Amino acid sequence: MNKNEIKSVAGLVQKSAEEFGGKAFLKELVKGEVTEKSFAEFYTDVRKFYGYIKNKYGCEKQIHTAVIGPSSYGWLVSWFGTVCGGNTAVPLDAQLSCEDICELLVRSDTDIFCCDPRYEKMIPAVKANCPNIKEYISFAELSGLLEKTAPADLPDVPADRLAAIVYTSGTTGKSKGVMLLNSNYIDNAMCQDNESTPDDTVLSVLPIHHIYCFTCDVLLSLRYGSTLCFNDSMMHIPQNLKRFAPTIMLIVPMIAETMYKQIKAAAAARPEIPIAMIAQSVFGGRLKTIYSGGAYLRPELQKAYIDMGFNMAQGYGMTECSPRISTAAPADKECAGDVGVIVNGCTVKTVDGEILVKSPSVMAGYYKDEAETVEALTPDGWLKTGDLGYVDEKNRIFITGRKKNLIILSNGENVSPEELENKFAGYDIVGDVLVYSEDNVITAEFFPAAEAVKNLSAAETEAKLLETVDSVNKTVSSAKAIRRVLLRDAEFEKTTSKKIKRSQSAQGRRIR
């Protein structure tokens, strides 16, 4: 595919159908059976969905279509059928409450609400709270709707047309509607080369409304002609690894840690079998490349996967950049703690320690939120990421923390809580940890891992946690050492993407 010819999402879908035609684009489980859709079938159904919108609502107004549910063919057809017709999709987090969903539907000026059947019970509440929504479409009705509709020719969608409003799941405040243009999506999908082939199979396990999953699983499969397979449940990852036998996977560090513990346990039970063989069996027998993003990946874990025979690359990005800012070459065996090399077409600089980005992938702004837009984008187009870090001589990015979370002690010392939190990754006893300043004292609040403490007394748990803190303190300067330790009985409040909300009040009892 000549990437220079692609200017819009519609152009990408059309070109993928022309080049890969009858080849399987998507495989998913439907009522226990694997179903397939080819690139050509997908293109036809996208044009049918657009035809339905065009016939019913015309082309004068840009229609906003909200899409919610787990990864499915219906989700894809609704999103692409909207965007490829020059309209705007609003992908919503399937884990949100009905109240939060209604708020986002109103804020995004949604006209059409498309949902997985399990959200149909929510429709009466949505109707009561979102009077401007014109139509509700369940994915269960979609096939019938498409059968009755003739495929329409897609319009020539301008590159600067608003493709989607993607709401962030911020850990510190109200979610913001990131406006991504067609050009943003296309630039990010095309910014690297030779990432996949038509012979590859991608198992998609992350929530599809997340930009990381959408761009790097869905759009890249369209670009390279790879076969995309949807995992139907986090609980079914082991079965679906064997069912679909992927060659590529995108994961987050939490999944990498969980899978590695399973591999180590299997290796301990069968010491006569090389751990690399066990690992390959666990991942379905064909896995070559693992991409990790979304959170900190400890270098020791990355090296463990590489030692087991996998290519493992870490990347960095954010919704506001569609999302990729940096990514490592899969064959790179160095585990330096970086988050990859800056992608093509992207420029990065630091100002007062904060990473700033300029790229064709950078958003147009936040929907109907001029104040936040001005705060995030400089007048000359630099995106202020809010991340602290630096770029080395190899163009690798290193992240040290978040600017808004920075702890400034009375002696003027700057301490990144994330830098300290990351040091606890890999300690089995630590389930979650939150570091903050309390009375100008660096404090760490812990929720222990249930599996690690199930056979320990309360006193033993406390002693082991304090021992862990002492080990971490030996790796930092005296000014950055954790002086106060709290132990929680209840889990931290988290976002739907499982990140701790930093604004919550302390609930742990002090053990130091």
Side-chain angles (χ1 to χ4, degrees), residues 399-419:
I399 305 295
T400 58
R402 290 285 292 169
K403 184 177 181 179
K404 66 176 68 174
N405 302 332
L406 196 65
I407 298 170
I408 303 176
L409 300 176
S410 58
N411 62 2
E413 184 81 22
N414 289 353
V415 179
S416 165
E418 293 88 354
E419 182 181 358

Side-chain angles (χ1 to χ4, degrees), residues 378-491:
T378 67
D380 55 348
W382 289 89
L383 170 67
K384 293 183 278 188
T385 67
D387 288 317
L388 299 171
Y390 60 94
V391 180
D392 73 0
E393 67 283 353
K394 296 181 180 179
N395 249 13
R396 299 179 302 187
I397 297 179
F398 290 78
I399 305 295
T400 58
R402 290 285 292 169
K403 184 177 181 179
K404 66 176 68 174
N405 302 332
L406 196 65
I407 298 170
I408 303 176
L409 300 176
S410 58
N411 62 2
E413 184 81 22
N414 289 353
V415 179
S416 165
E418 293 88 354
E419 182 181 358
L420 291 173
E421 290 162 3
N422 290 341
K423 288 182 177 293
F424 289 97
Y427 285 95
D428 289 342
I429 194 169
V430 179
D432 287 307
V433 58
L434 186 65
V435 174
Y436 51 89
S437 175
E438 184 178 59
D439 303 324
N440 205 44
V441 176
I442 297 179
T443 302
E445 189 169 354
F446 292 91
F447 180 70
E451 186 66 25
V453 301
K454 65 180 181 181
N455 296 321
L456 300 181
S457 67
E460 289 171 330
T461 297
E462 291 181 12
K464 192 165 184 182
L465 267 177
L466 292 175
E467 179 184 325
T468 301
V469 171
D470 290 339
S471 296
V472 167
N473 279 343
K474 291 176 182 177
T475 69
V476 300
S477 66
S478 175
K480 294 183 177 181
I482 294 165
R483 306 296 183 187
R484 187 173 293 166
V485 181
L486 279 66
L487 177 60
R488 296 172 66 98
D489 296 320
E491 287 194 55

